[in-house]
Every structure is written in structure tokens, then in C-alpha cells.
Amino acid sequence: MTQQTTNRIGWTDLPERVRTSVQEIIGDRVVEAVSQPGGYSPGTADRVRTATGLRAFVKAISPAQNPDSPGMHRAEARTAAALPASAPTPRLLGCHDDGEWVALVFSDVDGRHPATPWRADELTRVLKALEVMAAVLTPSPVTHVPTAADRLAEDFAGWHRIAADPPAVLDPWAREHLDQLRAAADHGIAALTGDTLCHVDVRADNLLLDATGTVTVVDWPWACRGPAWLDTALLLVNVRLHGGHDTEALLRRLPITAEVDPMTLTGVYAGLAGFFADGARRPPPQGIPTVRAFQQAQADALLPWLATRLR
């Protein structure tokens, strides 16, 4: 079950001008708003219903909740507006941006997050959906986003930062293999070439399954252009975190990752592990108190896998 991961504001906490603008986008007065669990934004994440029964999903934030999040909402709005109808994503109905508050209004998805630990049937559906999504989004229909190498360059330098300033508490295997981890991450970032629009934050709480098993991929602020296999490879981090599946066997079995150079995949996982380990030692961002523990958990899940792959 997905748990609440932040102290999130709700629909009634929004200024009246923002609620009025959102209702104008929807075309009716909102009479019910239900906050959705999961995720790390301290802003609103409400499924709303109007007086005449229209439904939508509303996410809104200002710098008061987190200074970086309004920029993320603006980036997501630009990307969402350019996504084709064939992509398994909600449709952007409109955006309110008054320079302080940014509110995005999407078509409603009557779904739930996949169960974690991952159920085999749901994982199969999601992996197939990511394969289809990669095909639909190649070549990238969005031209303004950065390349994956540019998007992730700073993140993948995490082991370099750790080597320059090692934390007092660091996984013993990682401490002994810092040079190998840095080299692997550098190889990984150099290999992130391609012209597929990638989500790069695919995990259970950014996915929705409806009653028919249809998969919808939500939350696109980090979109970039990279290899078609990237989102599938990244999802397996979440699968490994929650346990219950052989992620190594999945990499070999899935058509989209089976032909990828194993050292490239190892490099991507090394880069991610460095990002998580480096981030976890820092103070939490404003309004997002639990993200550092989540980053540490992901680093802890990846390091044993890397120890096996780097033998």
C-alpha cells in the first residue's frame, strides 16, 4: 500500500484566486476534493468533482511549501501540453500561473497505484506499458527538454562528491570500491543517448492502474530525451527496493533491455546509487521531510546488486 510521504496541503488551503482559476479551467464549481496519497510534493494532489459531476485532478504549489516545486510544475506543464494523445498519460486541461502559485489541471484517472511489493500481474502490465510508451514517444514529440545525459549529469556525479568528502557512515563495500563506482557511473552517463522522451522518475507512486488494468504514467517534471530502455531500467530500481522479483532475470528477459550492453546498465545503476547515497546525507528539502530516508533505502537496495554486477 502506498503511504503518505509528506505533509500535503489540500484544495481548501489554496487561495481563492487559484481555486477560481482552476474552476474556470474545468468549467464548473468544485464541490468535493479528495487528497491523493503517495509522492513527495508538499503541494496539493486532489481528485476533484464539480457540481455537475465533472472530474479532474489538480496539483498546485507555491514557494512557501517548497521553493523549487513551482519550477517543476511549470516544466511539467510545458511537457504535458506537448504529449500526444496516444501516450499513456493524463491530458492537461489547463494551467494557472500567477507568478506565485502554479496549478495544473489534468483529466481525472480513476485508478490506484500498483501494489508494493509488486504483484507479478501488475508488474507485467506496467512493463508492457513502458515498452509501448517508449515506442509512442520515439522520436521525442517534445523538443524543449534536455538530453538524459544533461539532465542526469549532476546526479550521476554523486560518487565523485562522496569520494571528495566521504560521510562518516558509508556502506563498507561502497567505500572500498569508490573508484570502480565512479568509473561505472561515468560510463553510464556517457551511454544515455537516444531520442525517446523519457520520464526518468518511474516508480509505483507515479503510476496508476484502472479497473481494466490500463496503465497511466503521471508526474513528468523531469522529462528528457534518452534511450528507449531507460524508463524500464529505472522502474526495476523500484521493483528491487520492494523485493519479491529477480530484477537481474527481468533485465535479461525483457526485449527492451536484453540487448543493452550490461556495462551500460551497470553504469546507470551506479550513477543512481551515487545520487541516492549522496542525497541521503543532506538535510531534507523544505516541506519534504521523508525524501532522504527514501533515497537511502534506494541506495541500500542498489549497492548489493552493483556488488554482484561489478565482480
Side-chain angles (χ1 to χ4, degrees), residues 118-134 202 207 209 215 229 231-236 239 245-247 250-251 253-257:
W118 281 79
R119 288 172 30 184
D121 60 329
E122 294 182 355
L123 179 58
T124 297
R125 289 191 186 99
V126 169
L127 289 169
K128 181 60 178 178
L130 293 181
E131 182 181 345
V132 172
M133 183 175 79
V202 182
L207 297 161
L209 288 165
V215 177
W229 49 263
D231 281 334
T232 296
L234 296 183
L235 176 72
L236 294 186
V239 175
H245 298 272
D246 186 341
T247 50
L250 284 167
L251 279 178
R253 190 180 80 227
L254 295 169
I256 202 167
T257 56

PDB file of all heavy atoms in Angstrom, residues 118-134 202 207 209 215 229 231-236 239 245-247 250-251 253-257:
ATOM      1  N   TRP A 118       5.653  -5.481  -5.465  1.00  0.00           N
ATOM      2  CA  TRP A 118       4.977  -5.566  -6.750  1.00  0.00           C
ATOM      3  C   TRP A 118       4.345  -6.932  -6.973  1.00  0.00           C
ATOM      4  O   TRP A 118       4.982  -7.970  -6.761  1.00  0.00           O
ATOM      5  CB  TRP A 118       5.970  -5.281  -7.874  1.00  0.00           C
ATOM      6  CG  TRP A 118       6.256  -3.830  -8.062  1.00  0.00           C
ATOM      7  CD1 TRP A 118       7.091  -3.052  -7.305  1.00  0.00           C
ATOM      8  CD2 TRP A 118       5.708  -2.981  -9.068  1.00  0.00           C
ATOM      9  NE1 TRP A 118       7.097  -1.760  -7.780  1.00  0.00           N
ATOM     10  CE2 TRP A 118       6.266  -1.689  -8.871  1.00  0.00           C
ATOM     11  CE3 TRP A 118       4.828  -3.186 -10.129  1.00  0.00           C
ATOM     12  CZ2 TRP A 118       5.945  -0.616  -9.694  1.00  0.00           C
ATOM     13  CZ3 TRP A 118       4.511  -2.106 -10.952  1.00  0.00           C
ATOM     14  CH2 TRP A 118       5.058  -0.850 -10.724  1.00  0.00           C
ATOM     15  N   ARG A 119       3.080  -6.917  -7.401  1.00  0.00           N
ATOM     16  CA  ARG A 119       2.422  -8.141  -7.849  1.00  0.00           C
ATOM     17  C   ARG A 119       2.883  -8.462  -9.262  1.00  0.00           C
ATOM     18  O   ARG A 119       3.067  -7.562 -10.085  1.00  0.00           O
ATOM     19  CB  ARG A 119       0.909  -7.959  -7.839  1.00  0.00           C
ATOM     20  CG  ARG A 119       0.292  -7.924  -6.463  1.00  0.00           C
ATOM     21  CD  ARG A 119      -1.176  -7.548  -6.492  1.00  0.00           C
ATOM     22  NE  ARG A 119      -1.890  -7.945  -7.719  1.00  0.00           N
ATOM     23  CZ  ARG A 119      -3.153  -7.635  -7.965  1.00  0.00           C
ATOM     24  NH1 ARG A 119      -3.845  -6.911  -7.079  1.00  0.00           N
ATOM     25  NH2 ARG A 119      -3.736  -8.029  -9.078  1.00  0.00           N
ATOM     26  N   ALA A 120       3.055  -9.742  -9.550  1.00  0.00           N
ATOM     27  CA  ALA A 120       3.573 -10.156 -10.854  1.00  0.00           C
ATOM     28  C   ALA A 120       2.694  -9.679 -11.998  1.00  0.00           C
ATOM     29  O   ALA A 120       3.193  -9.218 -13.040  1.00  0.00           O
ATOM     30  CB  ALA A 120       3.733 -11.666 -10.901  1.00  0.00           C
ATOM     31  N   ASP A 121       1.368  -9.770 -11.844  1.00  0.00           N
ATOM     32  CA  ASP A 121       0.486  -9.378 -12.940  1.00  0.00           C
ATOM     33  C   ASP A 121       0.546  -7.873 -13.192  1.00  0.00           C
ATOM     34  O   ASP A 121       0.555  -7.426 -14.344  1.00  0.00           O
ATOM     35  CB  ASP A 121      -0.952  -9.839 -12.663  1.00  0.00           C
ATOM     36  CG  ASP A 121      -1.540  -9.245 -11.400  1.00  0.00           C
ATOM     37  OD1 ASP A 121      -0.789  -8.977 -10.434  1.00  0.00           O
ATOM     38  OD2 ASP A 121      -2.773  -9.034 -11.353  1.00  0.00           O
ATOM     39  N   GLU A 122       0.611  -7.096 -12.125  1.00  0.00           N
ATOM     40  CA  GLU A 122       0.679  -5.647 -12.298  1.00  0.00           C
ATOM     41  C   GLU A 122       2.025  -5.221 -12.866  1.00  0.00           C
ATOM     42  O   GLU A 122       2.100  -4.313 -13.706  1.00  0.00           O
ATOM     43  CB  GLU A 122       0.398  -4.949 -10.969  1.00  0.00           C
ATOM     44  CG  GLU A 122      -1.030  -5.159 -10.487  1.00  0.00           C
ATOM     45  CD  GLU A 122      -1.351  -4.448  -9.187  1.00  0.00           C
ATOM     46  OE1 GLU A 122      -0.434  -3.839  -8.585  1.00  0.00           O
ATOM     47  OE2 GLU A 122      -2.526  -4.494  -8.784  1.00  0.00           O
ATOM     48  N   LEU A 123       3.085  -5.872 -12.437  1.00  0.00           N
ATOM     49  CA  LEU A 123       4.399  -5.562 -12.981  1.00  0.00           C
ATOM     50  C   LEU A 123       4.445  -5.862 -14.475  1.00  0.00           C
ATOM     51  O   LEU A 123       4.990  -5.076 -15.259  1.00  0.00           O
ATOM     52  CB  LEU A 123       5.467  -6.363 -12.234  1.00  0.00           C
ATOM     53  CG  LEU A 123       6.907  -6.168 -12.711  1.00  0.00           C
ATOM     54  CD1 LEU A 123       7.321  -4.712 -12.639  1.00  0.00           C
ATOM     55  CD2 LEU A 123       7.852  -7.056 -11.895  1.00  0.00           C
ATOM     56  N   THR A 124       3.865  -6.969 -14.885  1.00  0.00           N
ATOM     57  CA  THR A 124       3.824  -7.316 -16.308  1.00  0.00           C
ATOM     58  C   THR A 124       3.099  -6.242 -17.110  1.00  0.00           C
ATOM     59  O   THR A 124       3.563  -5.828 -18.186  1.00  0.00           O
ATOM     60  CB  THR A 124       3.134  -8.680 -16.505  1.00  0.00           C
ATOM     61  OG1 THR A 124       3.909  -9.687 -15.851  1.00  0.00           O
ATOM     62  CG2 THR A 124       3.006  -9.020 -17.984  1.00  0.00           C
ATOM     63  N   ARG A 125       1.963  -5.779 -16.585  1.00  0.00           N
ATOM     64  CA  ARG A 125       1.205  -4.733 -17.285  1.00  0.00           C
ATOM     65  C   ARG A 125       2.025  -3.442 -17.408  1.00  0.00           C
ATOM     66  O   ARG A 125       2.043  -2.796 -18.459  1.00  0.00           O
ATOM     67  CB  ARG A 125      -0.104  -4.452 -16.555  1.00  0.00           C
ATOM     68  CG  ARG A 125      -1.142  -5.553 -16.658  1.00  0.00           C
ATOM     69  CD  ARG A 125      -2.492  -5.066 -16.143  1.00  0.00           C
ATOM     70  NE  ARG A 125      -3.471  -6.139 -16.111  1.00  0.00           N
ATOM     71  CZ  ARG A 125      -3.791  -6.827 -15.016  1.00  0.00           C
ATOM     72  NH1 ARG A 125      -3.217  -6.540 -13.858  1.00  0.00           N
ATOM     73  NH2 ARG A 125      -4.700  -7.785 -15.073  1.00  0.00           N
ATOM     74  N   VAL A 126       2.685  -3.061 -16.326  1.00  0.00           N
ATOM     75  CA  VAL A 126       3.445  -1.811 -16.329  1.00  0.00           C
ATOM     76  C   VAL A 126       4.640  -1.912 -17.271  1.00  0.00           C
ATOM     77  O   VAL A 126       4.915  -0.983 -18.048  1.00  0.00           O
ATOM     78  CB  VAL A 126       3.882  -1.441 -14.903  1.00  0.00           C
ATOM     79  CG1 VAL A 126       4.896  -0.300 -14.921  1.00  0.00           C
ATOM     80  CG2 VAL A 126       2.672  -1.048 -14.060  1.00  0.00           C
ATOM     81  N   LEU A 127       5.348  -3.024 -17.237  1.00  0.00           N
ATOM     82  CA  LEU A 127       6.498  -3.185 -18.129  1.00  0.00           C
ATOM     83  C   LEU A 127       6.075  -3.135 -19.593  1.00  0.00           C
ATOM     84  O   LEU A 127       6.758  -2.524 -20.428  1.00  0.00           O
ATOM     85  CB  LEU A 127       7.210  -4.499 -17.819  1.00  0.00           C
ATOM     86  CG  LEU A 127       7.977  -4.525 -16.487  1.00  0.00           C
ATOM     87  CD1 LEU A 127       8.420  -5.935 -16.160  1.00  0.00           C
ATOM     88  CD2 LEU A 127       9.174  -3.581 -16.532  1.00  0.00           C
ATOM     89  N   LYS A 128       4.947  -3.746 -19.921  1.00  0.00           N
ATOM     90  CA  LYS A 128       4.443  -3.684 -21.285  1.00  0.00           C
ATOM     91  C   LYS A 128       4.055  -2.257 -21.651  1.00  0.00           C
ATOM     92  O   LYS A 128       4.340  -1.789 -22.772  1.00  0.00           O
ATOM     93  CB  LYS A 128       3.243  -4.623 -21.455  1.00  0.00           C
ATOM     94  CG  LYS A 128       2.664  -4.629 -22.863  1.00  0.00           C
ATOM     95  CD  LYS A 128       3.695  -5.065 -23.899  1.00  0.00           C
ATOM     96  CE  LYS A 128       3.093  -5.107 -25.293  1.00  0.00           C
ATOM     97  NZ  LYS A 128       4.114  -5.477 -26.316  1.00  0.00           N
ATOM     98  N   ALA A 129       3.418  -1.550 -20.719  1.00  0.00           N
ATOM     99  CA  ALA A 129       3.021  -0.167 -20.977  1.00  0.00           C
ATOM    100  C   ALA A 129       4.236   0.720 -21.217  1.00  0.00           C
ATOM    101  O   ALA A 129       4.208   1.612 -22.084  1.00  0.00           O
ATOM    102  CB  ALA A 129       2.205   0.367 -19.803  1.00  0.00           C
ATOM    103  N   LEU A 130       5.322   0.503 -20.485  1.00  0.00           N
ATOM    104  CA  LEU A 130       6.530   1.304 -20.689  1.00  0.00           C
ATOM    105  C   LEU A 130       7.156   1.021 -22.048  1.00  0.00           C
ATOM    106  O   LEU A 130       7.687   1.931 -22.700  1.00  0.00           O
ATOM    107  CB  LEU A 130       7.539   1.027 -19.577  1.00  0.00           C
ATOM    108  CG  LEU A 130       7.141   1.495 -18.175  1.00  0.00           C
ATOM    109  CD1 LEU A 130       8.254   1.187 -17.178  1.00  0.00           C
ATOM    110  CD2 LEU A 130       6.810   2.987 -18.152  1.00  0.00           C
ATOM    111  N   GLU A 131       7.082  -0.229 -22.487  1.00  0.00           N
ATOM    112  CA  GLU A 131       7.590  -0.570 -23.819  1.00  0.00           C
ATOM    113  C   GLU A 131       6.784   0.136 -24.900  1.00  0.00           C
ATOM    114  O   GLU A 131       7.349   0.717 -25.845  1.00  0.00           O
ATOM    115  CB  GLU A 131       7.539  -2.085 -24.013  1.00  0.00           C
ATOM    116  CG  GLU A 131       8.093  -2.563 -25.336  1.00  0.00           C
ATOM    117  CD  GLU A 131       8.007  -4.081 -25.486  1.00  0.00           C
ATOM    118  OE1 GLU A 131       7.786  -4.777 -24.478  1.00  0.00           O
ATOM    119  OE2 GLU A 131       8.150  -4.555 -26.620  1.00  0.00           O
ATOM    120  N   VAL A 132       5.458   0.113 -24.751  1.00  0.00           N
ATOM    121  CA  VAL A 132       4.587   0.798 -25.713  1.00  0.00           C
ATOM    122  C   VAL A 132       4.820   2.300 -25.661  1.00  0.00           C
ATOM    123  O   VAL A 132       4.891   2.976 -26.700  1.00  0.00           O
ATOM    124  CB  VAL A 132       3.111   0.449 -25.432  1.00  0.00           C
ATOM    125  CG1 VAL A 132       2.183   1.309 -26.283  1.00  0.00           C
ATOM    126  CG2 VAL A 132       2.854  -1.033 -25.683  1.00  0.00           C
ATOM    127  N   MET A 133       4.949   2.839 -24.447  1.00  0.00           N
ATOM    128  CA  MET A 133       5.170   4.274 -24.289  1.00  0.00           C
ATOM    129  C   MET A 133       6.457   4.712 -24.975  1.00  0.00           C
ATOM    130  O   MET A 133       6.496   5.748 -25.657  1.00  0.00           O
ATOM    131  CB  MET A 133       5.219   4.645 -22.810  1.00  0.00           C
ATOM    132  CG  MET A 133       5.367   6.141 -22.551  1.00  0.00           C
ATOM    133  SD  MET A 133       5.273   6.561 -20.793  1.00  0.00           S
ATOM    134  CE  MET A 133       6.937   6.132 -20.258  1.00  0.00           C
ATOM    135  N   ALA A 134       7.514   3.910 -24.830  1.00  0.00           N
ATOM    136  CA  ALA A 134       8.775   4.257 -25.478  1.00  0.00           C
ATOM    137  C   ALA A 134       8.621   4.309 -26.998  1.00  0.00           C
ATOM    138  O   ALA A 134       9.185   5.186 -27.660  1.00  0.00           O
ATOM    139  CB  ALA A 134       9.853   3.257 -25.083  1.00  0.00           C
ATOM    140  N   VAL A 202      10.131   6.876 -12.916  1.00  0.00           N
ATOM    141  CA  VAL A 202       9.077   5.860 -12.946  1.00  0.00           C
ATOM    142  C   VAL A 202       9.194   4.978 -11.702  1.00  0.00           C
ATOM    143  O   VAL A 202      10.199   4.303 -11.500  1.00  0.00           O
ATOM    144  CB  VAL A 202       9.167   4.993 -14.212  1.00  0.00           C
ATOM    145  CG1 VAL A 202       8.031   3.977 -14.228  1.00  0.00           C
ATOM    146  CG2 VAL A 202       9.115   5.855 -15.457  1.00  0.00           C
ATOM    147  N   LEU A 207       2.581   5.899 -11.051  1.00  0.00           N
ATOM    148  CA  LEU A 207       1.827   5.062 -11.975  1.00  0.00           C
ATOM    149  C   LEU A 207       0.428   4.827 -11.431  1.00  0.00           C
ATOM    150  O   LEU A 207       0.236   4.737 -10.216  1.00  0.00           O
ATOM    151  CB  LEU A 207       2.522   3.708 -12.147  1.00  0.00           C
ATOM    152  CG  LEU A 207       3.921   3.730 -12.759  1.00  0.00           C
ATOM    153  CD1 LEU A 207       4.663   2.439 -12.439  1.00  0.00           C
ATOM    154  CD2 LEU A 207       3.845   3.953 -14.266  1.00  0.00           C
ATOM    155  N   LEU A 209      -3.151   2.374 -12.146  1.00  0.00           N
ATOM    156  CA  LEU A 209      -3.816   1.254 -12.811  1.00  0.00           C
ATOM    157  C   LEU A 209      -5.314   1.414 -12.624  1.00  0.00           C
ATOM    158  O   LEU A 209      -5.780   1.576 -11.495  1.00  0.00           O
ATOM    159  CB  LEU A 209      -3.377  -0.075 -12.203  1.00  0.00           C
ATOM    160  CG  LEU A 209      -1.957  -0.570 -12.486  1.00  0.00           C
ATOM    161  CD1 LEU A 209      -1.597  -1.675 -11.515  1.00  0.00           C
ATOM    162  CD2 LEU A 209      -1.847  -1.049 -13.914  1.00  0.00           C
ATOM    163  N   VAL A 215      -2.619   1.235 -17.782  1.00  0.00           N
ATOM    164  CA  VAL A 215      -1.573   1.926 -17.027  1.00  0.00           C
ATOM    165  C   VAL A 215      -1.484   3.383 -17.486  1.00  0.00           C
ATOM    166  O   VAL A 215      -1.468   3.668 -18.689  1.00  0.00           O
ATOM    167  CB  VAL A 215      -0.210   1.236 -17.225  1.00  0.00           C
ATOM    168  CG1 VAL A 215       0.900   2.000 -16.505  1.00  0.00           C
ATOM    169  CG2 VAL A 215      -0.278  -0.217 -16.756  1.00  0.00           C
ATOM    170  N   TRP A 229      15.163   2.339 -23.555  1.00  0.00           N
ATOM    171  CA  TRP A 229      15.128   1.374 -22.444  1.00  0.00           C
ATOM    172  C   TRP A 229      15.237   2.022 -21.067  1.00  0.00           C
ATOM    173  O   TRP A 229      15.119   1.347 -20.043  1.00  0.00           O
ATOM    174  CB  TRP A 229      16.277   0.369 -22.598  1.00  0.00           C
ATOM    175  CG  TRP A 229      17.618   1.001 -22.854  1.00  0.00           C
ATOM    176  CD1 TRP A 229      18.225   1.174 -24.065  1.00  0.00           C
ATOM    177  CD2 TRP A 229      18.525   1.550 -21.884  1.00  0.00           C
ATOM    178  NE1 TRP A 229      19.457   1.792 -23.920  1.00  0.00           N
ATOM    179  CE2 TRP A 229      19.663   2.028 -22.580  1.00  0.00           C
ATOM    180  CE3 TRP A 229      18.493   1.685 -20.501  1.00  0.00           C
ATOM    181  CZ2 TRP A 229      20.745   2.636 -21.944  1.00  0.00           C
ATOM    182  CZ3 TRP A 229      19.564   2.291 -19.855  1.00  0.00           C
ATOM    183  CH2 TRP A 229      20.677   2.754 -20.567  1.00  0.00           C
ATOM    184  N   ASP A 231      13.486   4.166 -19.042  1.00  0.00           N
ATOM    185  CA  ASP A 231      12.424   4.117 -18.041  1.00  0.00           C
ATOM    186  C   ASP A 231      12.192   2.700 -17.524  1.00  0.00           C
ATOM    187  O   ASP A 231      11.911   2.510 -16.329  1.00  0.00           O
ATOM    188  CB  ASP A 231      11.125   4.695 -18.613  1.00  0.00           C
ATOM    189  CG  ASP A 231      11.119   6.218 -18.617  1.00  0.00           C
ATOM    190  OD1 ASP A 231      11.820   6.816 -17.794  1.00  0.00           O
ATOM    191  OD2 ASP A 231      10.403   6.808 -19.459  1.00  0.00           O
ATOM    192  N   THR A 232      12.315   1.712 -18.377  1.00  0.00           N
ATOM    193  CA  THR A 232      12.166   0.327 -17.923  1.00  0.00           C
ATOM    194  C   THR A 232      13.272  -0.025 -16.933  1.00  0.00           C
ATOM    195  O   THR A 232      13.022  -0.619 -15.874  1.00  0.00           O
ATOM    196  CB  THR A 232      12.193  -0.637 -19.117  1.00  0.00           C
ATOM    197  OG1 THR A 232      11.057  -0.387 -19.954  1.00  0.00           O
ATOM    198  CG2 THR A 232      12.172  -2.086 -18.649  1.00  0.00           C
ATOM    199  N   ALA A 233      14.503   0.347 -17.259  1.00  0.00           N
ATOM    200  CA  ALA A 233      15.619   0.075 -16.351  1.00  0.00           C
ATOM    201  C   ALA A 233      15.423   0.787 -15.013  1.00  0.00           C
ATOM    202  O   ALA A 233      15.719   0.225 -13.952  1.00  0.00           O
ATOM    203  CB  ALA A 233      16.933   0.504 -16.997  1.00  0.00           C
ATOM    204  N   LEU A 234      14.908   2.004 -15.048  1.00  0.00           N
ATOM    205  CA  LEU A 234      14.699   2.750 -13.811  1.00  0.00           C
ATOM    206  C   LEU A 234      13.573   2.153 -12.979  1.00  0.00           C
ATOM    207  O   LEU A 234      13.647   2.144 -11.742  1.00  0.00           O
ATOM    208  CB  LEU A 234      14.409   4.216 -14.133  1.00  0.00           C
ATOM    209  CG  LEU A 234      15.542   4.984 -14.821  1.00  0.00           C
ATOM    210  CD1 LEU A 234      15.152   6.437 -15.029  1.00  0.00           C
ATOM    211  CD2 LEU A 234      16.836   4.899 -14.022  1.00  0.00           C
ATOM    212  N   LEU A 235      12.521   1.662 -13.617  1.00  0.00           N
ATOM    213  CA  LEU A 235      11.439   1.041 -12.854  1.00  0.00           C
ATOM    214  C   LEU A 235      11.960  -0.129 -12.030  1.00  0.00           C
ATOM    215  O   LEU A 235      11.495  -0.369 -10.911  1.00  0.00           O
ATOM    216  CB  LEU A 235      10.328   0.556 -13.785  1.00  0.00           C
ATOM    217  CG  LEU A 235       9.190  -0.192 -13.068  1.00  0.00           C
ATOM    218  CD1 LEU A 235       8.349   0.773 -12.253  1.00  0.00           C
ATOM    219  CD2 LEU A 235       8.335  -0.981 -14.030  1.00  0.00           C
ATOM    220  N   LEU A 236      12.935  -0.861 -12.547  1.00  0.00           N
ATOM    221  CA  LEU A 236      13.425  -2.038 -11.835  1.00  0.00           C
ATOM    222  C   LEU A 236      14.121  -1.664 -10.529  1.00  0.00           C
ATOM    223  O   LEU A 236      14.247  -2.510  -9.642  1.00  0.00           O
ATOM    224  CB  LEU A 236      14.345  -2.853 -12.744  1.00  0.00           C
ATOM    225  CG  LEU A 236      13.663  -3.483 -13.959  1.00  0.00           C
ATOM    226  CD1 LEU A 236      14.627  -4.389 -14.700  1.00  0.00           C
ATOM    227  CD2 LEU A 236      12.411  -4.256 -13.562  1.00  0.00           C
ATOM    228  N   VAL A 239      11.243  -1.869  -8.240  1.00  0.00           N
ATOM    229  CA  VAL A 239      10.903  -3.284  -8.048  1.00  0.00           C
ATOM    230  C   VAL A 239      11.893  -3.924  -7.076  1.00  0.00           C
ATOM    231  O   VAL A 239      11.502  -4.655  -6.159  1.00  0.00           O
ATOM    232  CB  VAL A 239      10.897  -4.028  -9.398  1.00  0.00           C
ATOM    233  CG1 VAL A 239      10.677  -5.515  -9.195  1.00  0.00           C
ATOM    234  CG2 VAL A 239       9.814  -3.449 -10.316  1.00  0.00           C
ATOM    235  N   HIS A 245      11.061  -9.996  -6.636  1.00  0.00           N
ATOM    236  CA  HIS A 245      11.272 -10.316  -8.045  1.00  0.00           C
ATOM    237  C   HIS A 245      12.770 -10.350  -8.341  1.00  0.00           C
ATOM    238  O   HIS A 245      13.557  -9.621  -7.726  1.00  0.00           O
ATOM    239  CB  HIS A 245      10.591  -9.295  -8.961  1.00  0.00           C
ATOM    240  CG  HIS A 245       9.108  -9.248  -8.811  1.00  0.00           C
ATOM    241  ND1 HIS A 245       8.254 -10.058  -9.527  1.00  0.00           N
ATOM    242  CD2 HIS A 245       8.321  -8.490  -7.996  1.00  0.00           C
ATOM    243  CE1 HIS A 245       7.004  -9.803  -9.157  1.00  0.00           C
ATOM    244  NE2 HIS A 245       7.022  -8.858  -8.235  1.00  0.00           N
ATOM    245  N   ASP A 246      13.161 -11.157  -9.313  1.00  0.00           N
ATOM    246  CA  ASP A 246      14.546 -11.255  -9.742  1.00  0.00           C
ATOM    247  C   ASP A 246      14.787 -10.193 -10.806  1.00  0.00           C
ATOM    248  O   ASP A 246      14.507 -10.401 -11.995  1.00  0.00           O
ATOM    249  CB  ASP A 246      14.822 -12.664 -10.289  1.00  0.00           C
ATOM    250  CG  ASP A 246      16.283 -12.889 -10.630  1.00  0.00           C
ATOM    251  OD1 ASP A 246      17.024 -11.900 -10.788  1.00  0.00           O
ATOM    252  OD2 ASP A 246      16.677 -14.059 -10.759  1.00  0.00           O
ATOM    253  N   THR A 247      15.293  -9.046 -10.391  1.00  0.00           N
ATOM    254  CA  THR A 247      15.465  -7.938 -11.334  1.00  0.00           C
ATOM    255  C   THR A 247      16.554  -8.247 -12.362  1.00  0.00           C
ATOM    256  O   THR A 247      16.480  -7.766 -13.497  1.00  0.00           O
ATOM    257  CB  THR A 247      15.793  -6.637 -10.582  1.00  0.00           C
ATOM    258  OG1 THR A 247      16.863  -6.883  -9.652  1.00  0.00           O
ATOM    259  CG2 THR A 247      14.578  -6.117  -9.832  1.00  0.00           C
ATOM    260  N   LEU A 250      14.865 -10.206 -15.005  1.00  0.00           N
ATOM    261  CA  LEU A 250      13.994  -9.337 -15.788  1.00  0.00           C
ATOM    262  C   LEU A 250      14.795  -8.547 -16.820  1.00  0.00           C
ATOM    263  O   LEU A 250      14.366  -8.417 -17.980  1.00  0.00           O
ATOM    264  CB  LEU A 250      13.236  -8.378 -14.862  1.00  0.00           C
ATOM    265  CG  LEU A 250      12.064  -8.975 -14.090  1.00  0.00           C
ATOM    266  CD1 LEU A 250      11.592  -8.023 -12.989  1.00  0.00           C
ATOM    267  CD2 LEU A 250      10.902  -9.300 -15.030  1.00  0.00           C
ATOM    268  N   LEU A 251      15.930  -8.019 -16.441  1.00  0.00           N
ATOM    269  CA  LEU A 251      16.767  -7.287 -17.396  1.00  0.00           C
ATOM    270  C   LEU A 251      17.123  -8.152 -18.602  1.00  0.00           C
ATOM    271  O   LEU A 251      17.125  -7.675 -19.741  1.00  0.00           O
ATOM    272  CB  LEU A 251      18.056  -6.814 -16.723  1.00  0.00           C
ATOM    273  CG  LEU A 251      18.023  -5.548 -15.877  1.00  0.00           C
ATOM    274  CD1 LEU A 251      19.392  -5.301 -15.269  1.00  0.00           C
ATOM    275  CD2 LEU A 251      17.571  -4.342 -16.690  1.00  0.00           C
ATOM    276  N   ARG A 253      15.451 -10.817 -19.659  1.00  0.00           N
ATOM    277  CA  ARG A 253      14.285 -11.348 -20.355  1.00  0.00           C
ATOM    278  C   ARG A 253      13.541 -10.296 -21.164  1.00  0.00           C
ATOM    279  O   ARG A 253      12.989 -10.596 -22.219  1.00  0.00           O
ATOM    280  CB  ARG A 253      13.331 -11.976 -19.328  1.00  0.00           C
ATOM    281  CG  ARG A 253      12.197 -12.762 -19.957  1.00  0.00           C
ATOM    282  CD  ARG A 253      11.285 -13.353 -18.911  1.00  0.00           C
ATOM    283  NE  ARG A 253      10.339 -12.382 -18.384  1.00  0.00           N
ATOM    284  CZ  ARG A 253      10.085 -12.198 -17.106  1.00  0.00           C
ATOM    285  NH1 ARG A 253      10.722 -12.894 -16.191  1.00  0.00           N
ATOM    286  NH2 ARG A 253       9.193 -11.310 -16.719  1.00  0.00           N
ATOM    287  N   LEU A 254      13.502  -9.062 -20.675  1.00  0.00           N
ATOM    288  CA  LEU A 254      12.704  -8.033 -21.337  1.00  0.00           C
ATOM    289  C   LEU A 254      13.346  -7.627 -22.664  1.00  0.00           C
ATOM    290  O   LEU A 254      14.542  -7.304 -22.708  1.00  0.00           O
ATOM    291  CB  LEU A 254      12.570  -6.807 -20.434  1.00  0.00           C
ATOM    292  CG  LEU A 254      11.787  -7.028 -19.135  1.00  0.00           C
ATOM    293  CD1 LEU A 254      11.943  -5.840 -18.215  1.00  0.00           C
ATOM    294  CD2 LEU A 254      10.309  -7.273 -19.451  1.00  0.00           C
ATOM    295  N   PRO A 255      12.582  -7.626 -23.749  1.00  0.00           N
ATOM    296  CA  PRO A 255      13.161  -7.279 -25.053  1.00  0.00           C
ATOM    297  C   PRO A 255      13.828  -5.913 -25.072  1.00  0.00           C
ATOM    298  O   PRO A 255      14.854  -5.730 -25.735  1.00  0.00           O
ATOM    299  CB  PRO A 255      11.951  -7.323 -25.999  1.00  0.00           C
ATOM    300  CG  PRO A 255      10.965  -8.229 -25.326  1.00  0.00           C
ATOM    301  CD  PRO A 255      11.158  -8.012 -23.854  1.00  0.00           C
ATOM    302  N   ILE A 256      13.282  -4.960 -24.329  1.00  0.00           N
ATOM    303  CA  ILE A 256      13.789  -3.587 -24.412  1.00  0.00           C
ATOM    304  C   ILE A 256      15.126  -3.412 -23.705  1.00  0.00           C
ATOM    305  O   ILE A 256      15.877  -2.484 -24.002  1.00  0.00           O
ATOM    306  CB  ILE A 256      12.729  -2.603 -23.852  1.00  0.00           C
ATOM    307  CG1 ILE A 256      12.967  -1.189 -24.399  1.00  0.00           C
ATOM    308  CG2 ILE A 256      12.695  -2.625 -22.319  1.00  0.00           C
ATOM    309  CD1 ILE A 256      11.818  -0.245 -24.153  1.00  0.00           C
ATOM    310  N   THR A 257      15.459  -4.317 -22.762  1.00  0.00           N
ATOM    311  CA  THR A 257      16.744  -4.209 -22.060  1.00  0.00           C
ATOM    312  C   THR A 257      17.707  -5.352 -22.389  1.00  0.00           C
ATOM    313  O   THR A 257      18.905  -5.234 -22.114  1.00  0.00           O
ATOM    314  CB  THR A 257      16.530  -4.191 -20.532  1.00  0.00           C
ATOM    315  OG1 THR A 257      15.788  -5.364 -20.137  1.00  0.00           O
ATOM    316  CG2 THR A 257      15.790  -2.936 -20.100  1.00  0.00           C
TER     317      THR A 257
END
